Structures are given as structure tokens and as C-alpha cells.
Amino acid sequence: MRPLARALAAALALVAAAPALAGKRPLRPEERVDLNRAGLAELMRLPGVGEKRAQAILALRERRPFRRPEDVLAVKGLGPGWFAKVKGHLSVGPATAAEPARPPGQPPRGAGR
């Protein structure tokens, strides 16, 4: 491949990747991600976690809430080396209970009080 063609291909790859990279804001040293409460976008802020792994974390959480941060290692592709790098950013709070369904037109609990 010619140098100009290589440079053009590299530039196009960067332009294509820019929107995906722009949305991933790195975690500050003091920030924690609660594995039982974080949404997809927040999980994706963890180093090495893209959309697919974040969805796998959410799917695992649906089956059983995390009891300790190490439980996330059950997700395929997340190993001890990754965990050693991010464990300072992980926390496990109480699992959120799904709110019971309410009839249409009824306000959420606690609204208007």
C-alpha cells in the first residue's frame, strides 16, 4: 500500500471511530461504578468495557444481583488482570427492586405528595 493511501485509510479510521470515542469519558480516580445500579453508558466508562460487555454485565445482573465486585468476573472476557486494574472503580450496592406495574394514568408512588 502506498504511504498516501495508508495515511488516508488511517485518517478515515480515526474519523469513523471519533463518535464512539467521544462518548466514553474516562473515570476520575475517585469515581465508582455500582455494578447493581449502573446503566449501560456508565458501565461502558469502565476501561476495557464496550457495549457488548456492558450488556453482558446487565444480563448477569438481571439473573442475580452482584454480591461483591469479584462477581463481575463471571462475564466472558473480563479476567483477573482486568479486575486488578479496575477494582478501585467498582462497588456493589443493594440491588434495585423493579417497581411494580401501575395502571395507566396513575402517578408514580410518592408523586404529588
Side-chain angles (χ1 to χ4, degrees), residues 25-34 42 45-46 86-91:
R25 190 173 37 113
L27 292 168
R28 294 186 309 269
E30 72 279 2
E31 282 187 279
R32 304 288 177 267
V33 174
D34 186 331
E42 190 173 2
R45 291 183 61 209
L46 290 167
V86 301
K87 67 182 175 185
H89 290 293
L90 301 177
S91 68

Side-chain angles (χ1 to χ4, degrees), residues 4-5 62 74 78 100:
L4 180 60
E62 284 292 315
L78 300 181

Side-chain angles (χ1 to χ4, degrees), residues 97-103 109:
E99 191 170 317
R102 53 183 188 275
R109 274 192 332 194

Side-chain angles (χ1 to χ4, degrees), residues 64-110:
R64 63 178 187 275
F66 295 101
R67 297 178 75 197
R68 55 194 185 116
E70 293 85 357
D71 293 345
V72 76
L73 291 173
V75 172
K76 184 177 179 178
L78 300 181
W82 171 85
F83 185 76
K85 286 190 262 185
V86 301
K87 67 182 175 185
H89 290 293
L90 301 177
S91 68
V92 177
T96 57
E99 191 170 317
R102 53 183 188 275
Q106 183 180 6
R109 274 192 332 194

